[in-house]
Amino acid sequence: MSNREVVVLSVGGVRFVTRASTLQQFPESRLARMLNDDDREFKLVNGEFFVDRDGTLFSYIMDFLRTLQVSLPADFSDYQRLQREAEFYELYPLSDLLSQEHLLKPRLEILEVRFSLLEMQAFFRIFGSCSTTVETLAEQITVFTGQQSGQSWNSPFPSQKPLVPFPLERPSHHDMVFQCGTDYSAGDQFVARYVSIKPDNRKLINGTNVLGLLLDTLLRDGFHLISTRTVSSEEKVECYSFERMRRPAALTITVNQTPGSSGVAQAKRGQVQKGK
């Protein structure tokens, strides 16, 4: 039976079709031994291997065998049951990874936007519980600065002079500070700051417009507005609080193991999956 190229399994009534080489990724597992008729738990019926186990959970096991990664849905909760299934098939590298349940679970992420309006300028400060999200957002936001002559800060058209990118202030890995609007310089000269937030290409100078675009960007990225409050009525500081369930960096774990070999698997954290 070990020389067959395509293998059909019926696990709890759910049918799976795969290559024999996929089932042989870990030679010491029961799935690999099954192909050599070395395990009586697996019955061959009409050319298909029948296994009286959970077929839904087996789909995650097949995904692991095909990719050597653990990728679970954000709403997955059956970690212990899946670990039991992995132990049944004697896929101990998978079982070891599933024991790190705290790394696999989605995490609640908090983001806070503080906005204040002072004469012709608007000030923004963004705090985030996840430094990676703040870093990603900082890469989306660009402040452009330039001089204008006799133009109002509400002017929708930037100065004819070239605008120069201005770096955001980063007091820490978890927050950023920037501003927009115009600042009186000398004579009829004004220093103007425009804000652009990718993927929107507009350069906005009006603080209220920038705030609206920023909030829309966060909502599109999966955040939910949970509260709005006035922090300081005298200074006109408003605070917008957001939250979302975010996949942790360890949700996808790569196993460093050469296919077809035995031994202890080592885990690596995968890249953050942006968005939800």
Side-chain angles (χ1 to χ4, degrees):
M1 195 66 64
S2 60
N3 61 353
R4 64 163 58 196
E5 194 171 330
V6 177
V7 180
V8 181
L9 300 93
S10 177
V11 183
V14 182
R15 194 168 181 266
F16 297 88
V17 181
T18 187
R19 293 178 178 272
S21 58
T22 300
L23 300 176
Q24 293 168 333
Q25 290 280 22
F26 299 91
E28 297 177 357
S29 71
R30 297 182 75 177
L31 290 171
R33 299 201 308 269
M34 171 191 74
L35 300 179
N36 297 319
D37 297 326
D38 289 342
D39 197 316
R40 295 182 179 180
E41 186 73 29
F42 303 88
K43 306 295 183 182
L44 189 60
V45 181
N46 297 326
E48 299 182 7
F49 287 100
F50 174 76
V51 191
D52 190 17
R53 303 295 294 189
D54 191 305
T56 301
L57 293 178
F58 189 73
S59 65
Y60 300 117
I61 290 175
M62 283 302 308
D63 183 61
F64 170 74
L65 291 174
R66 288 168 175 149
T67 65
L68 297 183
Q69 295 181 338
V70 178
S71 299
L72 301 173
D75 58 351
F76 186 82
S77 59
D78 290 336
Y79 295 95
Q80 293 183 350
R81 290 182 59 215
L82 182 56
Q83 186 177 4
R84 271 202 313 269
E85 293 300 296
E87 291 173 352
F88 170 80
Y89 295 107
E90 297 182 7
L91 289 167
Y92 297 115
L94 174 58
S95 176
D96 291 342
L97 296 179
L98 290 169
S99 68
Q100 304 178 57
E101 182 179 337
H102 64 288
L103 296 178
L104 297 170
K105 285 185 174 181
R107 301 173 184 177
L108 180 64
E109 182 179 357
I110 303 297
L111 194 76
E112 183 179 277
V113 176
R114 293 199 175 193
F115 169 72
S116 62
L117 199 57
L118 181 62
E119 295 183 353
M120 296 186 296
Q121 297 183 78
F123 300 86
F124 296 83
R125 187 158 195 168
I126 301 176
F127 301 85
S129 60
C130 177
S131 60
T132 305
T133 296
V134 176
E135 185 67 35
T136 301
L137 189 58
E139 293 174 357
Q140 292 179 258
I141 300 174
T142 305
V143 177
F144 296 90
T145 184
Q147 285 193 336
Q148 292 180 312
S149 298
Q151 287 186 335
S152 166
W153 82 301
N154 286 315
S155 173
F157 303 105
S159 168
Q160 297 299 318
K161 296 181 181 180
L163 296 176
V164 180
F166 187 81
L168 304 181
E169 294 183 45
R170 296 296 307 276
S172 74
H173 293 296
H174 289 271
D175 62 338
M176 73 179 82
V177 177
F178 62 93
Q179 67 186 81
C180 65
T182 55
D183 184 17
Y184 178 75
S185 154
D188 62 348
Q189 295 293 312
F190 291 83
V191 175
R193 288 188 176 90
Y194 298 82
V195 174
S196 175
I197 305 178
K198 297 177 182 177
D200 194 297
N201 294 319
R202 291 174 296 168
K203 295 179 177 65
L204 304 176
I205 195 171
N206 184 291
T208 303
N209 294 340
V210 173
L211 176 65
L213 179 57
L214 176 60
L215 300 187
D216 286 344
T217 300
L218 294 176
L219 293 173
R220 284 197 303 269
D221 284 346
F223 281 98
H224 302 281
L225 181 63
I226 56 175
S227 69
T228 302
R229 69 183 190 277
T230 300
V231 178
S232 172
S233 56
E234 294 181 359
E235 299 179 3
K236 298 181 180 179
V237 179
E238 299 174 356
C239 179
Y240 300 82
S241 298
F242 294 83
E243 69 176 24
R244 73 174 176 184
M245 293 302 295
R246 180 178 175 276
R247 289 186 176 187
L251 186 63
T252 300
I253 303 180
T254 304
V255 180
N256 287 342
Q257 177 162 331
T258 304
S261 67
S262 58
V264 179
Q266 296 179 342
K268 275 187 178 180
R269 292 192 177 194
Q271 274 193 328
V272 176
Q273 300 185 16
K274 293 183 181 179
K276 298 59 179 175

